[in-house]
Every structure is written in structure tokens, then in C-alpha cells.
Amino acid sequence: MKVLITGTNGLLGQHLVKQFRQMPDCSVVATARGENRLRDREGYVYAPMDIADPAQISEVMRREAPDSIIHSAAMTQVDDCETQRERCWQSNVQATRYLVEAARELGAYFQLVSTDFIFDGEQGPYPEDALPNPVNYYGLSKLAAEQLLPCSGLEWSVIRTILVYGVAEDPARSNIVLWVKKSLESGRKIKVVTDQWRMPTLVDDLAAGCILAAERRATGVFHISGSELLTPYDMALQVADYFGLDKGLIEKADGSTFTQPARRPARTGFVLDKSRQQLGYQPHTFKEGLTVMEEGAGK
Ligand SMILES: NC(=O)C1=CN([C@@H]2O[C@H](COP(=O)(O)OP(=O)(O)OC[C@H]3O[C@@H](n4cnc5c(N)ncnc54)[C@H](OP(=O)(O)O)[C@@H]3O)[C@@H](O)[C@H]2O)C=CC1
Ligand SMILES: Cc1cn([C@H]2C[C@H](O)[C@@H](COP(=O)(O)OP(=O)(O)O[C@H]3O[C@@H](C)C(=O)[C@@H](O)[C@H]3O)O2)c(=O)[nH]c1=O
């Protein structure tokens, strides 16, 4: 398999490179905007590819001719997506359209990484066929990207995930575990909500789930997340307990005391039966995930 990955400077992209390049009979083309920010340069080819630029996409795709494309790149800052809608649409929808076109010319398998934010959070946990109803522009843009696939004529899959955490080199954005850990380590008080429910997902498990689907050229939508429905407040307490940090710095908050520019769906989470049965997906618990992070941080 020759796999091309988009957004490899990002949290998921880095772990996809790390795992794919260890697979026998697999060659990896890592692509991202600008310079390669991965420290380890072994076991893959790097090609700069800004997915907003169709000329760059055509040039790289013609040269590399992958048989599988894992599309991870996106504008992921949810609040920026709410206030910079044109940039969000260009990054998350128009760019996906360019990549789908390139995949069609190559006859390549196409996998899109998507999100729980396509749902409104009224009836979580959600199975794959639940009715989408995004409550913010980021979620709307990711749903629009998903909707490019059914009529694309491609062998395609969508991997939806939730609140990804883990260790990243030079991360473009932080994640909930690193944010809580760094805040408490520096003695900073944090307000954490008790009225949102998520199944936080270890990035190593997410990458493994993407690969389980890609190596089978599995088609359709798969929900790949952690298995425990937790509030961010629960998560913060577990992080404090695990790393021996001061829980007294964690203050309860809710929608009446903590707001963000973009609305968040209240209760998401995924039903994981299909991924477990069809892909053999097996996520870590949140606590196990913290252990994996700690072990990985040393490497
Ligand atoms: N993180 C999460 O909690 C969740 C993420 N997802 C989805 O998972 C995928 C990966 O997210 P994650 O790794 O966490 O996010 P990151 O923000 O860590 O990575 C996204 C990457 O996409 C890159 N990117 C953005 N625009 C472009 C562009 N025009 N050309 C090339 N690269 C671009 C960014 O590049 P740069 O570094 O240069 O900014 C960044 O490295 C996304 O599709 C996201 O929607 C779904 C659910 C939850
Ligand atoms: C910053 C902050 C967040 N939170 C809560 C809100 C939220 O439930 C959780 C994470 O908040 P953030 O704003 O960091 O993350 P958020 O943008 O909500 O994360 C989303 O990212 C996109 C890419 C996705 O696709 C979604 O699945 C989801 O992971 O932490 C607090 O309680 N207090 C705080 O001070």
C-alpha cells in the first residue's frame, strides 16, 4: 500500500505517520503546509502540500500516485471557524473537494477524518446512522465535507472521532489533557464544565482505527472514539489524580459560568459496536490513555 496523509504536522497526522511507517509493505507520503515539523525523518517521504492549493495537490498526487489517501488536515480551532467562516469553508470543504477529485483521477481509496460535532448533542451517544444536526460552523463544514463522498464514485470511508488527546511534537493546538496538566503544574486555577459529555479519544487509538479501516479498504462511516462518557470536569480530576496534581485548582463550571464563541453540543459520545465488530477496534480507557501518553512523552 502507498498511503498519502494530509496534515501530518497535526496531532493525528503525526501519529498516522508513526504507525503507518512501521507497517510492512507500506510506503508513506507525509504532507503538510510548509515545512515538515516532525523530528524523526526516517521511514517516509515528505512533500509540502497546502490543501487549499489545487495546483500543489495535482503536482504531489501526480508525482506520488498513492493508492490510499487519509485526509486528516482541517481547520480545527472551533471558535476560529465560527468567526472566520470563509477560511473554515476553504480549509474544510473546498480543500476536501480538490482532494476527492485527485483521488478520483488516481482511483485511490479515500478516508476522511470527521467529528462528533456534526451532531447537536441532544441524544448522545450516537450510532453512525444518527441524524446529523451541527450547532456550530466547524461541525457544519465537516458535515459538508462528509457529504462530498457518497456520490464521488470513490471507495471511501469516514472516521468520526471525539475530543482527541495525546502527545504531539510542536503541536498546532493543545488538547484537554495537556491543557489541564500544564495549568495545574503551573499552579493556575481552571474552570471546567460539568454539563458537556464526551468520549475522549487517545490519538494512538484514533490512528490505529484509521489504519484498521484503510488496510481493509473498508467503506462507509465508522465511529472511533474512547469508550467512556465523561465530562471535562471528570477528565480534569482523573488527570490531576494520575499526575499527582492539586485538584483544588479545578473549579466546577457550566453553561451559565463558562461560554465560548462557538456553541458546543452538550452530550455526544459514540456507539462503538460497528467499529469493534467490523474493524476489531479496541480503545484504551481514559486512565490507560494517560499511561500511554506518559510512556510516549519520554520517546
Ligand atoms: N482534535 C480533536 O479533538 C478532533 C479532531 N477531529 C478531526 O481530526 C482531524 C485531525 O485533527 P487534529 O490532528 O487533532 O488537529 P490539528 O489541528 O492538530 O491538525 C490539523 C492539521 O491540519 C493542518 N492544515 C490546516 N489547513 C491546512 C492546509 N490548508 N493545508 C495543509 N494542512 C492544513 C494544520 O496545519 P498547521 O499545523 O500548519 O496549522 C494542522 O497541522 C481533523 O480533520 C479534525 O477535524 C475530529 C474530532 C476531534
Ligand atoms: C478551554 C476550556 C475548555 N473546557 C471544556 C469545553 C470542552 O467540553 C472541552 C474542550 O474544549 P476545547 O475548546 O479545548 O475543545 P473543543 O473545541 O470543544 O474540541 C473539539 O475540537 C474539535 C476539533 C472536534 O472535532 C471536537 O470533537 C472537539 O474535540 O473542555 C472547559 O471546561 N474549560 C476551559 O477553560
Side-chain angles (χ1 to χ4, degrees):
M1 165 163 66
K2 181 169 189 180
V3 62
L4 181 143
I5 305 160
T6 69
T8 54
N9 282 331
L11 176 61
L12 173 58
Q14 296 182 22
H15 286 263
L16 285 169
V17 172
K18 197 164 86 171
Q19 293 192 25
F20 263 120
R21 70 183 180 180
Q22 287 160 4
M23 287 170 60
D25 314 323
C26 180
S27 61
V28 180
V29 181
T31 72
R33 198 166 30 186
E35 290 305 307
N36 179 10
R37 301 205 301 263
L38 296 180
R39 258 197 316 270
D40 191 341
R41 303 292 165 97
E42 298 300 314
Y44 66 93
V45 164
Y46 179 75
M49 189 172 85
D50 182 333
I51 59 171
D53 179 350
Q56 282 191 40
I57 293 175
S58 302
E59 197 264 325
V60 171
M61 294 294 185
R62 276 204 199 98
R63 187 179 69 236
E64 301 297 344
D67 48 50
S68 296
I69 296 168
I70 312 288
H71 177 28
S72 174
M75 182 173 172
T76 59
Q77 296 78 1
V78 175
D79 293 321
D80 291 349
C81 287
E82 200 69 16
T83 56
Q84 301 167 43
R85 296 187 174 198
E86 182 49 34
R87 188 159 77 90
C88 173
W89 188 267
Q90 286 305 315
S91 302
N92 294 356
V93 188
Q94 187 55 48
T96 302
R97 199 189 300 276
Y98 295 145
L99 290 163
V100 164
E101 189 44 47
R104 191 185 290 119
E105 284 169 22
L106 292 165
Y109 172 78
F110 189 86
Q111 181 179 96
L112 170 70
V113 185
S114 189
T115 172
D116 59 328
F117 276 24
I118 66 159
F119 297 118
D120 57 19
E122 296 299 320
Q123 282 99 19
Y126 294 99
E128 283 84 353
D129 58 358
L131 192 69
N133 183 29
V135 297
N136 57 50
Y137 199 74
Y138 161 78
L140 182 149
S141 74
K142 295 297 285 189
L143 176 61
E146 289 192 15
Q147 291 169 338
L148 296 173
L149 298 177
C151 311
S152 65
L154 295 173
E155 275 182 285
W156 61 269
S157 60
V158 170
I159 303 289
R160 294 190 190 127
T161 194
I162 304 171
L163 198 56
V164 184
Y165 67 94
V167 174
E169 293 170 26
D170 184 14
R173 66 202 287 267
S174 187
N175 58 77
I176 189 157
V177 171
L178 295 181
W179 164 67
V180 171
K181 182 170 180 286
K182 288 200 172 78
S183 301
L184 300 187
E185 282 169 344
S186 44
R188 229 181 3 260
K189 268 183 177 271
I190 52 175
K191 288 184 165 185
V192 193
V193 294
T194 58
D195 60 354
Q196 291 182 27
W197 284 265
R198 302 281 182 268
M199 287 187 179
T201 308
L202 178 69
V203 64
D204 312 63
D205 287 345
L206 173 57
C210 293
I211 292 173
L212 284 168
E215 61 189 356
R216 289 163 176 74
R217 290 175 86 96
T219 55
V221 181
F222 295 92
H223 282 176
I224 295 283
S225 71
S227 54
E228 297 158 288
L229 195 64
L230 300 169
T231 69
Y233 183 72
D234 300 329
M235 298 173 214
L237 293 182
Q238 286 202 42
V239 169
D241 279 341
Y242 183 83
F243 292 105
L245 299 167
D246 178 2
K247 287 193 278 193
L249 294 169
I250 304 170
E251 211 179 292
K252 282 185 180 178
D254 62 30
S256 64
T257 53
F258 173 79
T259 56
Q260 295 175 283
R263 268 186 68 196
R264 273 24 182 212
R267 184 188 186 88
T268 66
F270 286 155
V271 173
L272 300 175
D273 298 354
K274 180 181 176 188
S275 295
R276 289 181 191 276
Q277 286 152 19
Q278 295 188 20
L279 302 178
Y281 173 65
Q282 285 184 327
H284 289 83
T285 65
F286 188 66
K287 188 158 184 294
E288 289 165 346
L290 298 177
T291 308
V292 170
M293 271 187 83
E294 195 178 34
E295 285 158 3
K299 287 179 191 146

